[in-house]
Amino acid sequence: MNEQNYEQEISLGKVIYRLLRDWRKIFVVALVVSIFVGAGNYVLKKIKISDPKYVKTVEENYARELTAFYARGETLQREITNLEETRTERETYNASSILMKINPYREFNASLQLYVATDYQIVPELTYQNIDLSNRILRSYITYMLNGDMYQYILNHLSQPIELRYLKEILSISADYDNRMVTLSVRREDAQSCEEILTYALEGILTKQPEIIAAIGEHELNSVNQSVYEAVNLELDTWQKNNLQYVSELSIKLQEKAEEYMDWEGTPEPKKDFTAEAVIKNSIKKMIISFIIGGILATIFIAFAYIMSDKLQDANELKERFGLRVIAQIPRVHKKRVWVGLDRLFAHMGGLMFKENDVGALTKVASQSVCAELMVRGSESCVQGMKNDPKIKLVFTGNVSKEESEEFLSGMSWGEGYSVQCVSNVLRDPAAIPTVTNADYIILVEKQEKSTYSEIGRELEAFKAWKKEVLGVIVIGVDAIP
């Protein structure tokens, strides 16, 4: 016996087979749990909906949920519409804006300064000085430039038409009232376009000059520091890239909102859960969920119990654990069951070798196997028995009831040279000990999922102490193919 050095290995295949074999138990547990949960949910719901206050509260909540549900859809639609309009406007702007067409590494700039000159002089000997109209005149010109008249004059004379908003982006006006000067700056893709805009801007201003002279006073408008140059504008490069990136971000946001809206469309609107139909549907839903959960819990419990159990699960482990020879394995015969085809399929998947209808043959094979072993050992008891010679005393004992052992022995055939007895477990029945001590050989009879490894070990220790030889073990009630 080598149980002290034995380390049990957990076979995943055996655990899976055990779960498949007990599918009925798992199904029954899951069904009981689902019925209990479903019925309980139905009863509780029916009790609640019989309360008018509860129904009123639930109706108010349902109205709020329904309003919030459709408000969510409307909000998503507005967001999608706004994003589409914004993206379209930005794409149109990027396609038409002059600033987007300028090469930031070859930006052409042109500027023009206008100086307002009057004949105003300060007379030191006079206490009262004349009013200096220079700032008034300058403000009048700037007002003309900014109120749109100058821009419109330019637009009316340009060789290639552009929109007002794009013209305002490239033409800037800055005033220096202290020095009575105003600066016009323009930037475009080429020098010729810059000069064209400045030329028409100056024409428009000069066209306005007689009106200002008549309204305010005599003055001269002098053009100074007119120039055209080429420059590198890294800020413009960054600005252009940000504009393009913004369009891409709008497209991504639009796609995300469209997906959210599709998810919303696929989401069923809130339903009243206080109607009889809703209560039934909710109870069925909970039954399905609890059936799955109950099945999982039952599966876990069976697997855990199998792994932690000390009961005999596999006859082959007796050889590995105790060094016992397995003389025979006698299948357990089940009554007729429904869905036996599943049991047969799972038995084949588990690699079972025996069939339930082989019980009679396997029982006889067990007895003949014992006789053959004794003959190999040099015994001629089968022949001697016919000559009235002493018989070989065989005792069958184990962790099974005496009735089960006798029923098992009734199907075995023995020669006249054998004295076969069946006794109860020597660890529980003192009357069985004398029979065992007087026997020549001991044959253990153990039952799958009833006998335990610890009790088998104790039995073997007792037999060793009594110096009784154990021929082997016969395991009854083993799994077999239906």
Side-chain angles (χ1 to χ4, degrees), residues 367-470:
S367 60
Q368 296 302 316
S369 175
V370 172
C371 290
E373 181 177 352
L374 293 176
M375 290 182 65
V376 169
R377 292 181 178 216
S379 173
E380 297 179 356
S381 299
C382 290
V383 178
Q384 293 173 354
M386 298 183 65
K387 298 178 180 179
N388 297 320
D389 289 334
K391 297 182 178 180
I392 297 177
K393 298 178 182 179
L394 297 176
V395 173
F396 289 79
T397 185
N399 293 304
V400 294
S401 65
K402 186 176 181 180
E403 291 75 13
E404 288 179 309
S405 296
E406 290 175 347
E407 181 181 0
F408 163 70
L409 286 175
S410 64
M412 304 181 75
S413 58
W414 300 95
E416 296 181 358
Y418 296 95
S419 171
V420 180
Q421 285 185 286
C422 178
V423 297
S424 303
N425 191 326
V426 295
L427 301 178
R428 299 190 184 94
D429 186 5
I433 296 177
T435 304
V436 171
T437 55
N438 291 328
D440 295 321
Y441 299 102
I442 307 297
I443 298 176
L444 281 177
V445 180
E446 306 295 343
K447 190 173 184 179
Q448 182 174 299
E449 298 182 21
K450 182 177 180 181
S451 302
T452 62
Y453 293 115
S454 57
E455 286 191 342
I456 294 173
R458 291 168 57 196
E459 284 182 304
L460 293 175
E461 289 177 356
F463 298 149
K464 183 178 181 181
W466 300 336
K467 296 182 179 180
K468 293 298 175 180
E469 183 178 357
V470 178

Side-chain angles (χ1 to χ4, degrees), residues 9-22 303 306-307 313-314 317 345-352 479:
E9 295 182 0
I10 300 174
S11 172
L12 181 60
K14 292 180 180 179
V15 174
I16 294 175
Y17 164 71
R18 178 59 184 270
L19 296 175
L20 294 175
R21 190 202 70 173
D22 291 342
Y306 173 79
I307 294 173
Q313 303 289 350
D314 187 355
E317 285 198 19
L345 173 63
F346 296 151
H348 284 293
M349 293 174 61
L352 302 185
D479 293 334

Side-chain angles (χ1 to χ4, degrees), residues 203-274:
E203 285 184 6
I205 294 171
L206 294 177
T207 303
K208 187 68 176 178
Q209 185 177 12
E211 182 181 338
I212 297 176
I213 290 174
I216 300 177
E218 290 289 338
H219 65 275
E220 292 181 359
L221 191 60
N222 300 318
S223 174
V224 296
N225 296 331
Q226 184 173 355
S227 62
V228 179
Y229 60 93
E230 181 181 346
V232 175
N233 189 346
L234 297 180
E235 292 183 0
L236 177 62
D237 180 56
T238 302
W239 180 84
Q240 290 175 345
K241 290 178 180 178
N242 289 339
N243 267 354
L244 296 175
Q245 179 64 29
Y246 182 59
V247 174
S248 299
E249 291 175 356
L250 287 174
S251 298
I252 294 173
K253 290 181 180 179
L254 182 60
Q255 179 65 27
E256 291 175 350
K257 291 298 178 182
E259 291 176 356
E260 288 184 31
Y261 185 74
M262 291 179 63
D263 292 339
W264 175 84
E265 285 185 322
T267 303
E269 68 177 44
K271 301 294 183 182
K272 294 182 179 180
D273 59 353
F274 49 88

Side-chain angles (χ1 to χ4, degrees), residues 58-255:
V58 171
E59 286 180 344
E60 293 174 352
N61 293 336
Y62 168 73
R64 284 195 293 268
E65 289 179 5
L66 192 63
T67 302
F69 176 79
Y70 284 109
R72 173 61 175 164
E74 293 174 359
T75 300
L76 288 173
Q77 284 182 326
R78 286 196 300 270
E79 290 178 350
I80 291 173
T81 301
N82 292 336
L83 286 171
E84 288 177 342
E85 291 176 353
T86 303
R87 185 180 67 173
T88 301
E89 291 175 358
R90 182 61 67 172
E91 288 175 342
T92 302
Y93 172 82
N94 289 344
S96 304
S97 174
I98 297 175
L99 287 180
M100 293 297 295
K101 298 176 182 178
I102 296 176
N103 183 353
Y105 297 96
R106 292 197 64 191
E107 181 187 66
F108 286 89
N109 294 265
S111 63
L112 170 65
Q113 285 184 324
L114 298 177
Y115 172 73
V116 176
T118 62
D119 58 356
Y120 172 77
Q121 292 183 353
I122 297 176
V123 182
E125 60 271 16
L126 295 179
T127 302
Y128 178 77
Q129 301 291 330
N130 293 329
I131 298 175
D132 186 0
L133 302 174
S134 301
N135 280 343
R136 295 183 183 179
I137 296 171
L138 182 58
R139 288 181 186 278
S140 298
Y141 279 110
I142 293 175
T143 300
Y144 165 74
M145 296 176 190
L146 296 177
N147 66 6
D149 291 343
M150 183 188 71
Y151 290 111
Q152 192 60 48
Y153 183 89
I154 297 172
L155 293 175
N156 293 337
H157 292 80
L158 285 176
S159 57
Q160 295 181 350
I162 60 175
E163 294 184 27
L164 176 60
R165 59 172 177 168
Y166 302 132
L167 178 60
K168 287 184 176 181
E169 286 183 341
I170 61 174
L171 179 59
S172 59
I173 301 168
S174 59
D176 183 358
Y177 292 101
D178 294 334
N179 297 312
R180 295 175 291 180
M181 299 181 67
V182 60
T183 302
L184 283 76
S185 302
V186 64
R187 48 181 177 168
R188 286 209 64 174
E189 311 96 304
D190 53 71
Q192 182 179 357
S193 300
C194 292
E195 291 175 347
E196 182 183 17
I197 292 176
L198 284 183
T199 299
Y200 291 127
L202 183 57
E203 285 184 6
I205 294 171
L206 294 177
T207 303
K208 187 68 176 178
Q209 185 177 12
E211 182 181 338
I212 297 176
I213 290 174
I216 300 177
E218 290 289 338
H219 65 275
E220 292 181 359
L221 191 60
N222 300 318
S223 174
V224 296
N225 296 331
Q226 184 173 355
S227 62
V228 179
Y229 60 93
E230 181 181 346
V232 175
N233 189 346
L234 297 180
E235 292 183 0
L236 177 62
D237 180 56
T238 302
W239 180 84
Q240 290 175 345
K241 290 178 180 178
N242 289 339
N243 267 354
L244 296 175
Q245 179 64 29
Y246 182 59
V247 174
S248 299
E249 291 175 356
L250 287 174
S251 298
I252 294 173
K253 290 181 180 179
L254 182 60
Q255 179 65 27

